[in-house]
């Protein structure tokens, strides 16, 4: 089983942000792995460990510095990473298209995890746009997940304390909520091992060329 987890390189919420124009921030601040994506990585690794022969692959669209975020996912247990560069300023539609192209060029997903939202844009759209592009069912704010043969049963938390239960055939897309798990933060040996794992770097223009050729 190939499990992909989409991660985002975001500014630290504790950092003092300065805007350099109406759409960009001064990037001379600390960036890190989006906190909601920590739950997505943790769940991807848990499922990987449940199903023999599986792998968990972290995928990110960002600048060169975003390799740090991919390495963070690897330190948390992901097997390898893919970093798509050259997509600065992409909106949620372009981001989903880039992530889809990167995943398709790498393999055949059974599960795709994202965080339920990013702490910078907070659009809540990526998992649904990925699902639409792939033609996969998608659910967000997952707080419980169980595998049942070729299906997953997901409890999704809604507003007002209401929950829905969804049964989806794989492949599917799942946006992880904070109550899904407790992230396993890496130890120093985990960080050392993560530096030896593979991070494939792909230019977004190369993915677009491959898609149209």
């Amino acid at each position: 089983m190939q499990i992909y987890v989409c991660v985002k390189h975001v500014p630290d919420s504790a950092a003092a942000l300065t805007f350099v124009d109406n759409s960009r921030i001064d990037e001379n601040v600390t960036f890190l792995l989006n906190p909601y994506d920590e739950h997505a990585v943790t769940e991807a690794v848990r499922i990987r460990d449940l199903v023999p022969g599986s792998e968990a692959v972290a995928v990110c669209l960002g600048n060169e510095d975003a390799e740090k975020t991919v390495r963070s996912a690897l330190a948390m247990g992901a097997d390898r990473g893919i970093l798509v560069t050259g997509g600065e300023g992409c909106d949620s539609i372009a981001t989903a298209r880039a992530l889809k192209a990167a995943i398709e060029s790498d393999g055949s997903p059974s599960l795709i995890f994202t965080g339920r939202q990013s702490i910078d844009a907070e659009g809540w759209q990526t998992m649904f746009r990925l699902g639409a592009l792939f033609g996969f069912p998608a659910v967000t704010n997952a707080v419980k997940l169980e595998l049942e043969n070729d299906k997953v049963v997901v409890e999704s938390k809604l507003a007002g304390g209401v929950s829905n239960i969804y049964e989806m055939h794989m492949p599917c897309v799942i946006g992880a909520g904070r109550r899904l798990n407790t992230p396993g933060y890496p130890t120093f040996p985990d960080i050392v091992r993560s530096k030896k794992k593979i991070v494939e770097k792909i230019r977004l223009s190369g993915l677009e060329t491959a898609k149209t050729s």
Side-chain angles (χ1 to χ4, degrees):
M1 178 187 293
Q2 285 190 298
I3 306 165
Y4 291 88
V5 54
C6 301
V7 298
K8 189 174 183 182
H9 192 57
V10 299
D12 187 342
S13 59
L17 302 182
T18 302
F19 286 86
V20 295
D21 58 32
N22 291 331
S23 60
R24 294 187 303 115
I25 65 167
D26 182 351
E27 295 190 357
N28 292 317
V29 296
T30 300
F31 276 69
L32 40 69
L33 172 63
N34 179 48
Y36 286 98
D37 298 347
E38 294 175 353
H39 297 273
V41 174
T42 300
E43 196 65 13
V45 170
R46 183 184 77 85
I47 299 299
R48 186 272 316 276
D49 291 343
L50 283 176
V51 182
S54 298
E55 67 169 349
V57 184
V59 188
C60 181
L61 172 67
N63 56 24
E64 290 288 340
D65 190 57
E67 183 177 347
K68 297 174 184 175
T69 280
V70 178
R71 293 285 176 192
S72 294
L74 299 183
M76 292 179 68
D79 298 295
R80 57 187 176 87
I82 301 170
L83 174 60
V84 181
T85 61
E88 292 80 358
C90 283
D91 61 13
S92 61
I93 299 174
T95 296
R97 287 173 177 162
L99 293 171
K100 176 180 183 284
I103 291 170
E104 280 188 323
S105 70
D106 184 75
S108 179
S110 296
L111 288 169
I112 300 174
F113 284 98
T114 72
R116 75 169 194 181
Q117 68 190 88
S118 62
I119 63 169
D120 53 355
E122 294 194 337
W124 296 64
Q125 297 182 41
T126 302
M127 74 291 298
F128 297 117
R129 293 194 183 281
L130 276 172
L133 289 169
F134 273 108
F136 298 166
V139 67
T140 192
N141 204 21
V143 297
K144 186 176 180 181
L145 186 155
E146 295 180 359
L147 290 181
E148 293 185 1
N149 299 317
D150 65 339
K151 296 183 292 185
V152 292
V153 179
V154 180
E155 179 180 349
S156 171
K157 197 73 172 178
L158 307 178
V162 177
S163 294
N164 279 350
I165 305 295
Y166 299 95
E167 183 178 274
M168 302 185 295
H169 283 277
M170 293 187 283
C172 59
V173 183
I174 299 168
R178 286 191 182 277
R179 290 177 54 189
L180 181 59
N181 52 47
T182 300
Y185 295 109
T187 62
F188 180 72
D190 293 330
I191 294 170
V192 172
R193 283 191 291 271
S194 73
K195 296 182 183 299
K196 299 178 181 179
K197 295 181 179 179
I198 296 171
V199 175
E200 180 184 4
K201 294 184 180 180
I202 308 171
R203 290 290 296 177
L204 179 59
S205 57
L207 283 173
E208 292 171 341
T209 300
K211 183 178 178 181
T212 57
S213 62

